[in-house]
Amino acid sequence: MRTVVVVGASSGIGRATAHQLASRGDQLVLAARSVDALEETRQECVARGASGVLVVPVDVGDREQVTRLFDESVARFDRVDVVVHAAAVLAYGRFEDVPPDVFDKILQTNLVGTANVARSTLKVFDAQQGGSLVVVGSVLAKMVAPYLSSYSTGKWGVQGLVRTLQVEARAKPGVQISLVSPGGVDTPIYDQAGSYTGHPGHPPPPVVSPERVARAVVSAVDKPGRDISAGPLNSVMVAGFRLVPGVFDLLVGPMMRVLGQGREAVEDNAGNVFDPIPSKESVRGRWPHVWG
């Protein structure tokens, strides 16, 4: 029986991953900012067969809260075998249009939050001489798109951090670190996202289900991978970015305006960057997908 800490368990990929781990009978620690959504997830995991479930509300950008998360996890279950980190926030807008405090908070959550979780994870793994960390990255850690400067900046940083940790972990027998990189996913993150473009965000096609990405995450626990792609066209998009940058730069702006945003008008807002929106927390969003 494994003990798994799922960070970002209140919504989307994290919540879908918690469901799948519960079905395997694992003991779970569910962490996110939204207390109400975490309680819903706890009930869902118990119904799916989790051996035990601990809920710990946490803002990953706060190092002390992350330390407390792992202290409570070890106190309850004696050890932590696996950590899945899937927490992230998002806001759309040209770099100069996104308020500095919003930009900084996104980096605090997405990049510093990943570092906080990794630091506490490795401390526990070193003490028990083993464990598996799976971090959810993004195809936007390998390419860029307009209106997503804060998200891309954070995810590029996460990619660099995780790859560095993978190299350093070669000196730590029993410690495995994996990166899973999705593309567009049918999760509520787009409806929760802030926007400073006048329009809401949409996931770029092709859109896959969060359950598909969760399967890749769970698979990485058993079969670690350096960088596991969880988007059907990720390699094509990244190849375009790297091999024909002039063409990519010409096309990505118009495509983002047409395919990456809705047509309806919205006022400037920070979405869930600073505070969770429990009413919009769920596994799936409202986006059609045909890729499973």
Side-chain angles (χ1 to χ4, degrees):
M1 182 187 305
R2 300 176 307 189
T3 298
V4 185
V5 177
V6 182
V7 185
S10 62
S11 187
I13 295 167
R15 192 163 177 170
T17 300
H19 288 172
Q20 293 184 22
L21 293 168
S23 297
R24 294 167 58 137
D26 289 330
Q27 298 177 141
L28 301 178
V29 181
L30 306 177
R33 295 179 300 173
S34 176
V35 176
D36 293 341
L38 282 177
E39 175 56 26
E40 292 177 0
T41 307
R42 185 195 67 80
Q43 295 176 17
E44 294 162 356
C45 289
V46 169
R48 284 170 169 80
S51 299
V53 183
L54 172 66
V55 167
V56 183
V58 62
D59 182 338
V60 295
D62 185 321
R63 186 170 63 251
E64 292 184 358
Q65 291 188 36
V66 174
T67 299
R68 175 176 55 81
L69 162 65
F70 281 83
D71 288 345
E72 292 187 20
S73 299
V74 173
R76 171 71 177 270
F77 295 116
D78 294 326
R79 62 181 289 115
V80 172
D81 300 293
V82 179
V83 175
V84 174
H85 180 61
V89 292
L90 171 63
Y92 289 81
R94 292 171 61 90
F95 170 71
E96 62 268 31
D97 294 334
V98 176
D101 60 332
V102 174
F103 189 97
D104 292 352
K105 179 61 175 177
I106 292 171
L107 291 183
Q108 185 71 23
T109 298
N110 295 1
L111 178 54
V112 177
T114 302
N116 288 339
V117 170
R119 187 178 294 108
S120 288
T121 296
L122 292 175
K123 181 179 180 180
V124 172
F125 287 178
D126 287 347
Q128 63 191 28
Q129 297 186 322
S132 178
L133 168 64
V134 182
V135 177
V136 177
S138 173
V139 69
L140 286 174
K142 304 165 181 65
M143 53 177 279
V144 299
Y147 314 123
L148 291 170
S149 59
S150 55
Y151 189 80
S152 291
T153 299
K155 287 299 186 179
W156 277 70
V158 167
Q159 176 96 12
L161 173 63
V162 173
R163 288 293 290 119
T164 302
L165 295 180
Q166 288 171 341
V167 174
E168 293 177 352
R170 294 177 65 86
K172 297 175 180 285
V175 175
Q176 304 288 344
I177 302 174
S178 301
L179 181 68
V180 175
S181 299
V185 187
D186 174 28
T187 74
I189 191 172
Y190 308 98
D191 282 333
Q192 296 173 324
S195 179
Y196 298 90
T197 66
H199 302 282
H202 283 188
V207 180
V208 303
S209 70
E211 290 86 356
R212 173 172 171 158
V213 182
R215 288 194 294 271
V217 171
V218 174
S219 177
V221 173
D222 300 319
K223 186 178 180 181
R226 183 175 292 109
D227 190 349
I228 302 166
S229 178
L233 294 184
N234 283 8
S235 60
V236 174
M237 293 186 291
V238 174
F241 175 74
R242 294 176 177 173
L243 301 178
V244 284
V247 175
F248 181 93
D249 291 357
L250 180 67
L251 296 178
V252 69
M255 291 180 67
M256 188 66 184
R257 286 190 291 272
V258 173
L259 300 176
Q261 296 185 94
R263 296 298 91 204
E264 60 270 36
V266 297
E267 295 183 357
D268 289 354
N269 70 92
N272 73 338
V273 171
F274 294 102
D275 297 293
I277 307 174
S279 63
K280 294 184 178 180
E281 303 272 14
S282 62
V283 173
R284 293 191 177 190
R286 54 187 177 89
W287 320 105
H289 51 84
V290 297
W291 294 87

